Amino acid sequence: MLASTWFAFFIACWVISLSPGAGAIASMSCGLQYGFWRGYWNALGLQIGLALQIAVVAAGVGALLSASAVAFSAIKWFGVVYLVYLAYRQWTSPPQVMDAGGERPTGRPLSLVLRGFLVNASNPKAVVFMLAVLPQFVDPHRPMLIQYVIMGVTMISVDLIVMAGYTGLAARVLRALRSPRQQKVMNRTFATLFVGAAALLATVRRAPA
């Protein structure tokens, strides 16, 4: 991969990662609930899901997914249901009474990783999007595997930085939330955002063959 091609892809990765989506909402939600260091496990799960999507596209399965109405719909509606489930959990999450020295609620790292993984892995739109974007940066006359590895490492590294920003921003907001009422409003705000992300995903249509 030429340096100029990689740099163009690097810039594209920042634009893609900074665009608000279900992953950003999930990162802010976890940062708000658990603080940065605990909530960042969710971002690791997001990257595992992203790596899976890149591998699917590199293996050529992405083309089959985008061509199969049944497979596309099954993954899409699983994602919609899961985002609505996250919205329900956020809406019903009890407020934590916090003082200046209070501790944040803890979450199991494995559960947070799985949560992030499912958010990304259940989004067929991302697979179709990468199927349209990644090949534009691939040189067909050079080894394909190494090019996809380079793009995968680049995209995941950028997304880890961006999700750290989203998680850290929400974690700082949490420090200012002292009253149960403030936390309740914030929880329901994120629940609404999850529902909005689910509604957007529900409108995704498979590209015509």
Side-chain angles (χ1 to χ4, degrees), residues 169-183:
L169 176 64
R172 290 182 65 86
V173 170
L174 184 143
R175 295 179 183 177
L177 301 178
R178 300 295 180 218
S179 73
R181 176 180 173 81
Q182 289 174 319
Q183 292 183 41

Side-chain angles (χ1 to χ4, degrees), residues 41-124:
W41 285 102
N42 169 83
L44 297 181
L46 288 172
Q47 304 321 308
I48 296 174
L50 179 59
L52 175 63
Q53 292 171 335
I54 295 171
V56 163
V57 172
V61 180
L64 297 176
L65 258 181
S66 62
S68 171
V70 174
F72 187 91
S73 295
I75 295 175
K76 181 183 79 170
W77 288 110
F78 173 80
V80 170
V81 171
Y82 186 66
L83 288 173
V84 171
Y85 165 75
L86 291 180
Y88 168 77
R89 289 288 302 272
Q90 193 81 44
W91 187 278
T92 58
S93 177
Q96 303 288 328
V97 178
M98 296 181 62
D99 53 35
E103 294 185 356
R104 291 166 173 160
T106 58
R108 294 180 179 178
L110 185 59
S111 297
L112 294 174
V113 169
L114 180 60
R115 169 175 170 164
F117 170 77
L118 289 175
V119 167
N120 262 356
S122 63
N123 186 357

Side-chain angles (χ1 to χ4, degrees), residues 24-36:
I25 295 170
S27 293
M28 290 188 289
S29 172
C30 287
L32 178 71
Q33 287 183 287
Y34 307 111
F36 177 79

